[in-house]
Amino acid sequence: AIQLTQSPSSLSASVGDRVTITCRASQGISSALAWYQQKPGKAPKLLIYDASSLESGVPSRFSGSGSGTDFTLTISSLQPEDFATYYCQQFNNYLYTFGQGTKLEIK
Amino acid sequence: QVQLVESGGGVVQPGRSLRLSCAASGFTFTNYGMHWVRQAPGKGLEWVAVIWYDGSNKYYADSVKGRFTISRDNSKNTLYLQMNSLRAEDTAVYYCARRRIAVAGYYFDYWGQGTLVTVSS
């Protein structure tokens, strides 16, 4: 099964900062990658799919890029509501896997 | 609006069984594949199983294969997860999620609020 490795595992940042989270796949997955945001006690929320497509209703400060094995999620200017845990996810051969998560905390 | 509401969680002894339900509304249930995804306390997300829109295909994570069965009743707009031979490591919040088919891949676009399953003696 394809493994996804996120970095960093945790990150401290301030409101207004530009933040980048990386997800690396153990083998090429073309553009078949999504990003989710999860707040404590809540279900995950789809932010980005197909590596760079913004889900409807998601603020434009979120963007995704990459293809093959290396992907990034960028938040252009952090807002207070963005402090959460972020997961990448891929699909291959009828199996789905998630990265281990990146916890974004307030500095 | 799309709503997914899970139920059926609780405390169960190791080796016993439990059935989870997910009631769907706000969309045409028969047009969508559905998933179960779980999250152990303080841990990350783990995909569990998927079922096609018509129930014709089902796939499982290796960790639950042979013990869990995903099913659906399209007349009731309800998704199920039958969990047998439960183990302590199955303790988690279980979410149902709708399957999104996009250009490059497959994702989870709407999620329920989750139901907690605790396997303990």
Side-chain angles (χ1 to χ4, degrees):
Chain A
I2 295 177
Q3 309 295 323
L4 296 177
T5 303
Q6 291 182 230
S7 60
S9 295
S10 63
L11 174 61
S12 294
S14 301
V15 173
D17 284 353
R18 179 183 180 90
V19 167
T20 298
I21 298 170
T22 297
C23 180
R24 175 164 289 176
S26 58
Q27 55 185 277
I29 56 172
S30 185
S31 298
L33 188 103
W35 291 95
Y36 300 83
Q37 176 193 67
Q38 187 179 33
K39 297 180 179 180
K42 301 294 186 182
K45 174 186 175 183
L46 178 62
L47 300 176
I48 301 285
Y49 63 93
D50 285 351
S52 60
S53 296
L54 190 67
E55 177 69 353
S56 177
V58 174
S60 59
R61 63 180 179 273
F62 291 91
S63 64
S65 65
S67 66
T69 59
D70 294 310
F71 301 85
T72 58
L73 172 70
T74 299
I75 310 172
S76 60
S77 178
L78 272 174
Q79 299 302 300
E81 61 268 29
D82 300 336
F83 293 94
T85 300
Y86 293 84
Y87 295 92
C88 56
Q89 172 256 316
Q90 68 85 35
F91 164 85
N92 179 261
N93 197 25
Y94 301 107
L95 301 178
Y96 300 74
T97 53
F98 292 90
Q100 82 278 15
T102 295
K103 187 174 183 178
L104 179 53
E105 298 175 304
I106 301 173
K107 183 183 288 184
Chain B
Q1 73 282 19
V2 173
Q3 273 204 308
L4 299 170
V5 179
E6 301 94 337
S7 61
V11 180
V12 61
Q13 293 179 327
R16 303 299 290 264
S17 300
L18 202 62
R19 188 178 83 156
L20 306 182
S21 300
C22 170
S25 61
F27 65 102
T28 304
F29 185 67
T30 53
N31 287 351
Y32 288 86
M34 297 293 296
H35 296 272
W36 287 100
V37 178
R38 68 184 181 182
Q39 187 169 34
K43 302 298 184 182
L45 300 167
E46 180 188 17
W47 171 76
V48 173
V50 62
I51 185 169
W52 257 229
Y53 68 100
D54 58 356
S56 60
N57 287 288
K58 306 172 186 181
Y59 296 93
Y60 299 90
D62 287 345
S63 58
V64 306
K65 199 176 297 182
R67 299 187 300 123
F68 289 12
T69 301
I70 189 171
S71 63
R72 62 192 296 158
D73 185 337
N74 283 348
S75 69
K76 296 182 178 179
N77 287 356
T78 302
L79 174 72
Y80 301 102
L81 185 68
Q82 178 66 42
M83 304 185 294
N84 297 333
S85 302
L86 282 161
R87 305 167 180 168
E89 55 264 36
D90 296 319
T91 294
V93 173
Y94 285 73
Y95 296 100
C96 63
R98 195 177 78 169
R99 183 178 188 232
R100 160 80 63 86
I101 302 174
V103 172
Y106 303 83
Y107 311 105
F108 314 87
D109 63 356
Y110 286 94
W111 300 62
Q113 85 288 350
T115 188
L116 176 62
V117 173
T118 303
V119 183
S120 173
S121 54

